[in-house]
Amino acid sequence: MLAKLFNWFGPGLPKVDLVLPKTEYAPGEKVTGSFHLIGGLNQQIIQRLECDLMKRKAGEKPSLLQPVTTVLMNRELDPKEESEYPFHFVLPDAVELDDPETTYLLQTKLVLKNDVKTLDTDEIDIVIR
């Protein structure tokens, strides 16, 4: 029973990590990197991988700026298995850069069977060059 709980909550779940070569980008620039998946304690079925560009103003919850990618999978991820998937997208040209308190995030979700999700959030700086 305890193993089943760990499987669905916390340390038993697979992890996703978006790895980017840098954190500073310009509007309209191509962002490249890779999604790294690491299996949990038990075999899991991965249904999809999602990534969204989010905007967060000081004191507020992040809001969706633009969906970036959705990768439909329906594949098994074995315990401790490691997989890598390439990632790229182009930042929008029209990004509000006048508020220094606004931050931009790439929020990655790994969606498992029964709609269980694990998250990874990476902050990026969008600057005018």
Side-chain angles (χ1 to χ4, degrees), residues 14-16 37 46 48-49 108-112 116-118:
K15 304 223 180 315
V16 61
L37 306 183
I46 307 295
R48 68 186 179 276
L49 178 64
T108 306
K109 290 180 202 165
L110 188 61
V111 183
L112 311 173
V116 174
K117 298 176 180 104
T118 61

Side-chain angles (χ1 to χ4, degrees), residues 34-54:
S34 58
F35 297 111
H36 293 241
L37 306 183
I38 303 166
L41 294 177
N42 297 305
Q43 185 180 64
Q44 293 280 346
I45 298 193
I46 307 295
Q47 292 185 323
R48 68 186 179 276
L49 178 64
E50 302 173 351
C51 186
D52 297 316
L53 179 61
M54 309 291 284

Side-chain angles (χ1 to χ4, degrees), residues 33-118:
S34 58
F35 297 111
H36 293 241
L37 306 183
I38 303 166
L41 294 177
N42 297 305
Q43 185 180 64
Q44 293 280 346
I45 298 193
I46 307 295
Q47 292 185 323
R48 68 186 179 276
L49 178 64
E50 302 173 351
C51 186
D52 297 316
L53 179 61
M54 309 291 284
K55 176 172 133 177
R56 181 175 54 210
K57 292 187 178 192
E60 296 179 13
K61 289 175 66 174
S63 61
L64 177 67
L65 189 61
Q66 161 185 331
V68 171
T69 190
T70 298
V71 180
L72 300 176
M73 293 187 168
N74 199 28
R75 66 159 283 216
E76 292 178 356
L77 186 66
D78 290 328
K80 305 298 180 194
E81 176 186 346
E82 295 187 23
S83 304
E84 187 175 325
Y85 295 88
F87 165 82
H88 72 276
F89 88 105
V90 177
L91 283 169
D93 287 321
V95 179
E96 294 176 34
L97 299 175
D98 55 345
D99 183 2
E101 303 256 337
T102 298
T103 56
Y104 295 91
L105 314 164
L106 288 170
Q107 185 176 68
T108 306
K109 290 180 202 165
L110 188 61
V111 183
L112 311 173
K113 188 176 178 183
N114 299 326
D115 208 33
V116 174
K117 298 176 180 104
T118 61

